[in-house]
Amino acid sequence: MQQQPEAIITQIFPDLPLGRWAQLVAITVKQDDLYTVCTQLRQHPSLDFDMLVCLTAVDRTTYLEVIYHLRSTSRNHDLIVKTELNEAQPELPSMVPVWKSAELFEMEIYDMFGIVFKGHPDLRRLFMPEDWEGYPLRKSYNANEVADNYLKSHQLLINQ
Amino acid sequence: MENIIGSQIIQSSDDEFIINVGPQHPSTHGVLHLQLKLDGEKIVDLKPFLGYIHRGIEKMSESLNYKQFIYLTSRMDYLSAHINNQACCLAIEKAIQAEVPERARVIRTLMAELARLTSHQLWWGSTGLDMGAVSPFFYAFREREMILEIFEETCGSRLTMNYCVPGGVMNDIHPDFVRKVKQIIKQFRDNLHEYDELLTNNPIFQSRTIGVGYLSREEAISLACTGPVARASGISCDVRKKEPYDAYDRVTFDEIITTEGDCFARYKVRLEEMKQSMNIIEQLIDNIPAGEYRTKIKGIIKPPAGEYYQRVETARGELGIYLVSDGTNKPYRIKFRTPNFSNLGALKPMSLGGKIGDLVAIMASLDLIIPDIDR
Amino acid sequence: MDVVQKHFEDFPGEVYQDKSGHSSIIITQIDRFANWARSNSLWPLIFGTSCCAIEMMSAASAKYDWSRFGFEVARASPRQADLIIVAGTITLKMAPVFKRLYDQMPDPKYVIAMGACNITGGPFMTHSYSVVNGIDKIVPVDVFIPGCPPRPEALLHGMMKLQEKIKGMKAYVIEKPKK
């Protein structure tokens, strides 16, 4: 069964607000401290979070929330790290030097939300075509009627 | 922005040769587009291009209510469609704190293990087909059709059976279910030696897979690989053991872990998992508890505002569902953490330095389903 | 095709006769022979994108066996195939690739749209931003097979319908289905 790392987290990071996200222990980190906190989480011997299980984002209309779900295979505990971003200019440092699984996750988030990860080796649109405009998973994006416009503009319709 | 965004083709010098594998290719198991930079026949660089089957399931789920989005997940990893539906139902039941009757739990587990068997059978057949052997394909489908008949009689459909609902299963099993499942398991156990004779002990297959595509334990953890890919590299990550759900806490089975980390090890792990699935089915099939098959849930599901997380073990790895609810009858945001998405990251380190023929063997052993990556 | 409406006293429905279908006895015999040969040896292209591809593989395997109808040789290259069974959703990124595959196939070529996704967009018709709602927007389709996914027997039924359709066509004149 999974264990909860609350005690160790409060010991090593005493000034980070601790909470719960879906019954997992969660800490909220500011944008500028994110890289140092994540490197410490990876390398500290009693934490040893060596797997980035998932990296996702939620559009909360006033701000963008980015969520890192970390797991330690040796200590058998999970942790959630949250940051909040401004929608006007969302930027974050890339976690690829720390966990290799971040490469594909960050490309997907750039494609769907428009968050730029500085230092990523190959940041490009992953799912949508290269010349797509807009970020589909934002709440302000309207999903209807974009498909026919794309087909028309690329001369793919049969009776054009 | 220009210097951060990566280019769409690989940069190359004059001596190197760039070819495209896919999107339409007999061995890519779907629409996966790879660009390879070759030096002779050795692979120097590899770049995957995705999105050819991206249907926007996560965005669509925000416009459908809680009972409707479950059936879109059948189309993500369609070979373990039942397990995907089971994960969604478990997440919703966790959110509304519904009690599932014991009979429904056991039925769901039985169908999940049968789905895992069909998925591994199809994997075995297509592995043989990729290596050039055509007979394993027909042998695998012979067994698979028998199980699909059971699915059709119980759920109504062969592939995308929408059998799980929040609160239990949609309909009770028919009276002949137990006898037929026992017959299939007995027949499959008797035929399993044919699988070994055709592929496992075949010298051509062994020379194409032993020592090919090595993935070390540290690299597999860093890439967040799960499922048989990680278990063949020595990581213990079976969700059915770590966080048992449904009826997995009352069955005993082994978690198959090897340390070689090459294609043959992944092959052997999946063959052994088939045997363990049959053990689980045999333990449960005679003791299906009597009772209701479904609890009554309100017509409109409105979980309280907050976040919920559930993970299950599909045939390919760990599927995680992150559900963010704002108190209305439609989900605010759903994220599917699919196993194939992270397993794809292991393709590049395993194939660099090898030949193109090894790339086909590695893709067959990774067992990727591309709609699961693209969602 | 020129069509003229005829009236029959004892038949209650409407009858349309194709004027241009009148040919000499030699051409019709050649047509019959060529259509018989073509319909009984259609070679499909291996093109499966998602779930319907699994039911296509089931139709190719031993229980439902499509090779008894002549579809034995499934080719990987579009230059050697004359039937494309579109199994699986076509998205916007895949649409130019699919159109290029269709253009590379030599005439006479036929298209079967398998599954609900290729008829109208299927379960992804509304609220999705990247699915083509029906491939008959991109290519002319001969046979539509409904289902999600259609059973292998439904696929065989659709293929046999295509064989009947070919037997009724003119063999050496390219006839594209009307929009």
Side-chain angles (χ1 to χ4, degrees), chain B residues 5-235:
Chain B
I5 309 301
S7 67
Q8 291 293 329
I9 61 164
I10 309 179
Q11 309 299 321
S12 77
S13 67
D14 286 327
D15 287 343
E16 289 158 336
F17 190 57
I18 296 186
I19 66 168
N20 282 313
V21 177
Q24 186 260 341
H25 194 273
S27 84
T28 50
H29 300 274
V31 277
L32 176 65
H33 179 194
L34 299 172
Q35 268 192 2
L36 305 177
K37 193 192 321 186
L38 299 176
D39 175 23
E41 205 169 314
K42 208 165 60 126
I43 299 178
V44 172
D45 196 5
L46 186 150
K47 206 161 172 173
F49 287 85
L50 307 170
Y52 290 94
I53 191 75
H54 175 71
R55 299 175 274 201
I57 291 184
E58 291 182 0
K59 179 82 176 180
M60 282 178 75
S61 309
E62 297 175 10
S63 320
L64 303 170
N65 65 28
Y66 280 94
K67 281 187 178 172
Q68 289 172 332
F69 85 89
I70 301 178
Y71 308 124
L72 288 179
T73 55
S74 302
R75 276 90 184 154
M76 270 179 1
D77 180 359
Y78 39 79
L79 289 179
S80 36
H82 176 90
I83 308 181
N84 286 12
N85 291 349
Q86 189 184 16
C88 291
C89 291
L90 285 168
I92 296 178
E93 284 152 12
K94 203 185 241 189
I96 58 178
Q97 290 172 340
E99 269 295 318
V100 181
E102 286 303 312
R103 185 178 174 85
R105 283 192 201 270
V106 173
I107 295 178
R108 273 190 198 170
T109 314
L110 274 172
M111 302 294 271
E113 289 307 310
L114 284 170
R116 198 183 310 270
L117 268 182
T118 57
S119 170
H120 283 322
Q121 280 161 354
L122 196 143
W123 158 80
W124 186 79
S126 60
T127 297
L129 200 61
D130 285 348
M131 302 287 170
V134 182
S135 305
F137 183 72
F138 295 102
Y139 280 77
F141 269 83
R142 171 189 68 185
E143 258 89 49
R144 189 160 184 261
E145 293 290 335
M146 294 194 285
I147 302 185
L148 289 184
E149 265 184 31
I150 293 192
F151 282 160
E152 188 169 11
E153 285 168 0
T154 314
C155 325
S157 163
R158 290 152 49 102
L159 196 71
T160 51
M161 51 257 183
N162 306 322
Y163 191 50
C164 281
V165 287
V169 289
M170 199 178 271
N171 227 329
D172 208 355
I173 50 177
H174 60 93
D176 231 3
F177 182 81
V178 176
R179 182 189 66 87
K180 283 200 169 171
V181 171
K182 278 194 199 171
Q183 185 187 353
I184 287 178
I185 298 294
K186 179 175 174 314
Q187 198 168 344
F188 191 38
R189 271 200 207 274
D190 291 340
N191 288 344
L192 208 52
H193 69 277
E194 286 175 359
Y195 283 39
D196 284 333
E197 282 167 28
L198 273 177
L199 274 190
T200 318
N201 300 333
N202 190 327
I204 303 179
F205 182 75
Q206 284 186 350
S207 67
R208 274 193 83 167
T209 49
I210 294 185
V212 167
Y214 175 67
L215 186 68
S216 64
R217 188 174 191 273
E218 293 75 28
E219 192 137 32
I221 296 181
S222 182
L223 288 161
C225 296
T226 51
V229 174
R231 287 199 276 276
S233 300
I235 308 172

Side-chain angles (χ1 to χ4, degrees), chain C residues 40-161:
Chain C
N40 284 334
S41 77
L42 285 167
W43 288 3
L45 173 70
I46 303 176
F47 185 69
T49 50
S50 70
C51 350
C52 282
I54 303 295
E55 293 295 51
M56 194 167 72
M57 284 157 68
S58 281
S61 67
K63 187 171 179 186
Y64 299 104
D65 198 22
W66 65 15
S67 57
R68 357 172 216 162
F69 302 102
F71 300 88
E72 164 99 45
V73 186
R75 295 312 237 183
S77 159
R79 302 280 187 198
Q80 299 168 359
D82 46 11
L83 164 68
I84 181 167
I85 305 180
V86 191
T89 323
I90 299 290
T91 59
L92 291 181
K93 202 164 176 182
M94 191 66 190
V97 176
F98 169 57
K99 182 96 175 55
R100 189 190 283 187
L101 279 175
Y102 177 77
D103 289 337
Q104 280 179 342
M105 282 165 67
D107 273 320
K109 55 191 172 190
Y110 310 97
V111 178
I112 291 185
M114 178 179 176
C117 288
N118 293 323
I119 306 179
T120 58
F124 308 100
M125 188 170 90
T126 50
H127 309 301
S128 172
Y129 46 83
S130 67
V131 168
V132 175
N133 285 353
I135 59 167
D136 54 339
K137 292 186 177 177
I138 310 179
V139 296
V141 176
D142 289 290
V143 177
F144 293 93
I145 305 179
C148 189
R151 287 191 56 121
E153 283 117 333
L155 176 61
L156 289 176
H157 180 82
M159 290 161 120
M160 285 161 69
K161 271 266 179 281

